[in-house]
Amino acid sequence: MRAEHPRLEARLAALGIDVRSGASLSELTSLGIGGTTDLLRITKHDSIPELIGLLEHHDIPYKFLGGGSNLLVGDGELPWVVLQLVRPEPDVVLDGNLAHVDAAADLGRMITFCAKNDLGGMEGLIGVPGTVGGALRMNAGAYGMQIGSYVREVKLYRAATQKIEILRGDQISFEYRHTSFAPDDMMLAVILELPSKPYKEILKGIRICNEKRRSSQPLGQKSAGCIFKNPPGVSAGRMIDELGLKGLSVGDARVSDRHANFFVNAGHASAKDMLTLIADVRERVQKSFGVSLENEVVVWNA
Ligand SMILES: Cc1cc2nc3c(=O)[nH]c(=O)nc-3n(C[C@H](O)[C@H](O)[C@H](O)COP(=O)(O)OP(=O)(O)OC[C@H]3O[C@@H](n4cnc5c(N)ncnc54)[C@H](O)[C@@H]3O)c2cc1C
């Protein structure tokens, strides 16, 4: 999809939107899969209501990209443009136990920055790629913790009201890889309330989590983390492993040999390859265990 109307282009420029024509989503996602479209990079939160109004006026559908680490994007020319926040400088400001963080901030860098200032709690998320906005939307979690537990306030653009609003943490429900945000809400910034902890102690926790990831995940390969959510009380990866499906491939899409719930792009996998592999594994698990696996990876398919 192209954002290519002369009047639209002039307004986008006036709003400070940086348009990258024909951007390849394979270069913007950790799976390295995805077709092309125009990428609209947003430098000012305040420009968003007008930007969305313009896109709607010109019948241009849009999707919102964070760091691209939990996405499987379709092949070919994509039928929507992609919006992404540009990371401001600074992207984290501390005030006592409160961290004011822009949604475009890199999650890992934010955790390290807070740790160096004796603010902990987020150690489990070290090694989770992507942005703070993406982590909020997904309620990213690992090793018994989730980001939602630390949210004091979220600033977001709500498509329903076409306004930028503030929600208190207790107005949002954060569940396992699910939040009560509307699908078209855009996270813009968050205030996290983090417990005080000495840096040395946080670093110990960070090292333990790093080691757990290194020993169990295919970190050098292109993936989107876990493909399926764990059904209540069961591990999706364990079921896939028990069926002997590690190494199962469709084209270059492959079930990791290291972690059965990580599917990797071992070369030039297409979205079609990956979707076929996902459907195949889901069907086999359903047949053998009677369990219907739900995607954790977000699929943007045309
Ligand atoms: C090696 C590896 C390990 C991983 N380990 C974990 C793990 O332990 N735990 C875990 O939870 N996840 C894990 N993930 C998955 C992924 O990193 C997280 O889900 C991450 O929080 C996604 O953030 P992102 O910015 O990359 O989002 P994206 O992939 O860009 O987007 C994901 C979804 O969030 C939406 N989104 C992104 N930013 C915003 C925003 N600002 N406002 C509104 N919506 C937005 C997108 O529209 C999309 O629907 C892993 C991934 C990899 C590759």
Side-chain angles (χ1 to χ4, degrees), residues 92 94 99 101 109-120 192 194 199 202:
V92 186
L94 300 181
V101 190
R109 282 175 47 155
M110 184 275 286
I111 295 170
T112 313
F113 177 78
C114 291
K116 285 183 177 159
N117 287 278
D118 300 319
L119 293 176
L192 299 169
L194 300 172
Y199 178 48
I202 303 172

Side-chain angles (χ1 to χ4, degrees), residues 28-31 63-71 84-85 103-105 107 124-143 177 182-189 213 217-219 221-226 262 296 298 300:
L28 296 167
T29 55
S30 57
L31 257 179
K63 292 197 180 283
F64 203 79
L65 176 72
S69 66
N70 200 44
L71 282 175
Q84 190 180 41
L85 295 173
L107 180 65
L125 287 180
I126 204 78
V128 175
T131 61
V132 169
L136 274 177
R137 149 68 65 206
M138 300 304 304
N139 188 22
Y143 308 123
R177 301 305 166 270
D184 44 11
D185 283 346
M186 281 181 208
M187 316 299 121
L188 303 181
R213 276 181 199 278
Q217 298 179 1
L219 297 186
Q221 287 182 285
K222 293 179 184 168
S223 84
C226 287
F262 275 55
E296 177 166 332
V298 175
W300 288 355

